[in-house]
Amino acid sequence: MTLNTHRRGPVRVLDAPDGHDVIIEGRLDVHTVPDIRDAIHAVINEGPGELRLHLGDAEIGDATGLGVIVHLHRRATRAERRLLLVDASDRTTRLLRGCRLERILAPRHPVSDGVTVAPLTA
């Protein structure tokens, strides 16, 4: 159930009773990461619950795109929130594993709607 929807550039945020769904569209690279990072920082500070980062329509363009995912995981953890990667493409998953980030990327778990969720753990 969605309570509220708001758009912040390439980021769309859906407020839900158990947290927030953050949908990122487009390319994550040195040009877009500052806006994406600032928008998600605001979401992290909005309250408790899961933070589901939807990456199905996103493309990681460079190391900055990977770095922001790791940074957001750390920031969410400090705010006592759980960051989940939802619907990450196979390419994104391969990039995370290729960069040896599999330590914080838990195995992907299918969800009832056919959406894939990969929780990040520290």
Side-chain angles (χ1 to χ4, degrees):
M1 178 178 174
T2 300
L3 299 177
N4 188 15
T5 303
H6 38 114
R7 191 175 253 307
R8 296 179 174 121
V11 176
R12 193 169 33 147
V13 179
L14 306 172
D15 296 337
D18 62 342
H20 295 90
D21 288 285
V22 179
I23 302 163
I24 298 178
E25 299 167 339
R27 191 169 167 88
L28 278 86
D29 61 19
V30 69
H31 302 291
T32 60
V33 160
D35 294 333
I36 292 169
R37 182 189 59 234
D38 292 345
I40 298 175
H41 281 184
V43 173
I44 290 171
N45 294 332
E46 282 185 19
E50 289 183 343
L51 182 64
R52 292 174 292 275
L53 195 60
H54 295 260
L55 298 174
D57 294 327
E59 175 187 349
I60 296 178
D62 59 20
T64 310
L66 284 172
V68 77
I69 293 172
V70 174
H71 167 76
L72 293 171
H73 162 64
R74 290 181 183 154
R75 178 80 180 247
T77 301
R78 284 194 306 262
E80 297 181 4
R81 297 192 70 176
R82 183 175 175 203
L83 181 70
L84 301 170
L85 294 183
V86 179
D87 198 25
S89 69
D90 290 335
R91 180 178 182 271
T92 298
T93 302
R94 283 192 311 269
L95 282 170
L96 290 169
R97 287 187 179 140
C99 293
R100 296 186 171 241
L101 294 172
E102 71 271 6
R103 296 178 328 207
I104 64 169
L105 180 65
R108 295 162 53 140
H109 301 287
V111 177
S112 61
D113 294 342
V115 175
T116 304
V117 176
L120 291 175
T121 56

